[in-house]
Amino acid sequence: MTSEQLAWKIRRHGIEMTHLSGGSHIGAILSVADIMGMLYTEVLKVDSNNPEWDDRDRFILSKGHAGASVYAALAENRFFEVEELKTHYQNGSRLSGHVSHHLPGVDFSTGSLGHGLSAAAGMAYAAKKDGKNHKVYVVLGDGECDEGSVWEAALFANHFRLNNLVVIVDHNHMQSMDFQENTLEIEDFGSKWKAFGWNVIEINGNNHQELREAFQKVEEYAKDDSHKPTVIIANTIKGCGVSFMQNDILWHYRFPHEGWEYDMSVNELHQSKPEGVEDVYTPNGIENPVLPTEQDDIGNDHTFSYTWETDYPEKMRRVEAKSGTGEREHQL
């Protein structure tokens, strides 16, 4: 399987998993799909027949809310059956909304942002102390790089010369309720990592050739006498692969509902389906798809900075005074 094929399957599984479960974070799943596709086809040294293999590379998805991307990659690599993906978010399922270590192939449960790099640095340090040759890879979200723990771990990794540690930042430029620059500016991002002693590679994270070349550079850096850790800043598009989800913060929280949201997502993905790939859910796409109307919420700006009404508190006080209860009315 090629990295492009796996990335497409991750996107298609992600649409189905969030659709069936009513789960969130499809935007993040789509933005990280190409990174995950490359990792699980050309980079990570792992064995589905022996998930606890001592010499395997370790991988942590620190932005654990995009956990469906890991689950899909593992299933497609035969760590468990693809059919189990349909149980995502369901009661009693192993496939919790955030990444769970109860699944074979998952080294660390994640979801509380800012913790993944610290754990990965500890794993890399332990490997160095034990004379092991495997690497530790961790995918961070750009929003979680506001966490102080990330930069403490970055200092630690440089201090102990952990050249067996590789960070990939899914830099989709959106976090929380807005674009990152409107939430908490983080630029000049690459210079920050350099100042902390890291090798820095900046690429288009949705381009497989640039990803491939970046990981080749990682191998070259690993032989360098400086023994620095390396970060790949992968500039991506939130919601990449489905046009009406791209760069729309709504899809950080929303899932593709029955109707035009699901139908259009599936059919758009089918337009970019690589040769040799099978869609196990809708093999031929969706015939006669439901299309959005003028009344449907599509193509609108849902960022906090655009939608926030500065007179909202005053409106609330008027409603509370009118009701005489001091309680908020849910229709607002």
Side-chain angles (χ1 to χ4, degrees):
M1 188 188 321
T2 68
S3 62
E4 289 87 355
Q5 288 173 328
L6 180 55
W8 189 90
K9 287 186 175 185
I10 290 170
R11 289 189 166 96
R12 182 63 188 90
H13 285 311
I15 292 294
E16 199 70 20
M17 293 161 74
T18 53
H19 171 69
L20 292 173
S21 66
S24 301
H25 308 305
I26 185 60
I29 295 161
L30 294 175
S31 73
V32 82
D34 297 298
I35 297 169
M36 300 299 293
M38 182 60 62
L39 283 169
Y40 277 93
T41 55
E42 300 187 22
V43 178
L44 291 177
K45 184 177 63 176
V46 293
D47 183 358
S48 61
N49 294 317
N50 186 11
E52 299 298 322
W53 176 38
D54 190 52
D55 290 331
R56 74 188 185 281
D57 289 332
R58 272 58 170 178
F59 173 71
I60 294 175
L61 180 67
S62 189
K63 52 178 293 176
H65 52 281
S69 65
V70 174
Y71 298 152
L74 291 172
E76 288 292 347
N77 279 277
R78 301 192 176 111
F79 280 83
F80 57 90
E81 295 297 321
V82 169
E83 185 68 17
E84 189 175 352
L85 294 175
K86 292 180 181 179
T87 70
H88 181 237
Y89 253 101
Q90 304 301 317
N91 288 339
S93 171
R94 298 190 296 174
L95 279 63
S96 54
H98 290 75
V99 176
S100 170
H101 71 278
H102 292 292
L103 279 168
V106 176
D107 292 306
F108 189 71
S109 294
T110 53
S112 181
L113 296 177
H115 293 177
L117 182 54
S118 297
M123 291 177 179
Y125 181 66
K128 284 276 190 181
K129 296 282 282 185
D130 292 342
K132 302 291 186 180
N133 293 319
H134 63 263
K135 289 187 175 65
V136 182
Y137 296 84
V138 55
V139 171
L140 302 180
D142 48 9
E144 75 174 303
C145 290
D146 292 336
E147 302 271 3
S149 55
V150 169
W151 300 105
E152 291 179 47
L155 284 172
F156 177 94
N158 174 58
H159 181 76
F160 288 100
R161 304 297 188 262
L162 301 181
N163 63 334
N164 58 341
L165 175 62
V166 183
V167 166
I168 307 98
V169 181
D170 179 27
H171 193 15
N172 61 34
H173 301 269
M174 303 196 87
Q175 70 177 106
S176 186
M177 300 290 291
D178 213 319
F179 286 96
Q180 191 173 31
E181 63 188 27
N182 296 331
T183 306
L184 191 61
E185 292 182 42
I186 201 167
E187 307 300 353
D188 184 355
F189 200 27
S191 294
K192 284 184 171 66
W193 285 96
K194 288 177 184 176
F196 277 69
W198 286 57
N199 295 313
V200 179
I201 304 168
E202 297 194 48
I203 62 167
N204 176 350
N206 296 128
N207 183 296
H208 287 248
Q209 185 56 34
E210 290 193 31
L211 282 163
R212 187 172 293 111
E213 292 172 359
F215 285 111
Q216 289 170 355
K217 285 185 181 179
V218 168
E219 293 301 317
E220 295 172 9
Y221 286 146
K223 301 171 186 176
D224 194 304
D225 290 338
S226 66
H227 297 289
K228 292 181 180 181
T230 299
V231 58
I232 300 171
I233 298 176
N235 290 284
T236 61
I237 298 172
K238 190 120 181 174
C240 183
V242 178
S243 63
F244 62 87
M245 294 183 181
Q246 291 187 169
N247 289 323
D248 187 348
I249 201 65
L250 176 69
W251 297 96
H252 185 72
Y253 302 98
R254 189 172 177 81
F255 64 91
H257 287 64
E258 190 71 29
W260 72 265
E261 295 178 1
Y262 176 76
D263 290 3
M264 286 186 63
S265 299
V266 170
N267 282 357
E268 279 202 26
L269 287 178
H270 268 260
Q271 292 173 13
S272 63
K273 185 163 69 73
E275 289 187 16
V277 172
E278 179 186 2
D279 180 347
V280 296
Y281 307 106
T282 52
N284 300 311
I286 296 175
E287 295 184 14
N288 303 315
V290 177
L291 299 177
T293 68
E294 293 182 358
Q295 287 72 43
D296 288 311
D297 187 7
I298 182 172
N300 296 316
D301 190 338
H302 297 98
T303 57
F304 179 83
S305 55
Y306 180 81
T307 58
W308 169 246
E309 296 183 28
T310 55
D311 61 345
Y312 180 81
E314 179 59 32
K315 287 182 179 179
M316 183 59 64
R317 283 192 290 272
R318 290 200 300 270
V319 169
E320 290 175 348
K322 184 176 180 181
S323 67
T325 63
E327 296 179 351
R328 298 187 177 190
E329 294 189 0
H330 293 295
Q331 66 264 30
L332 280 183

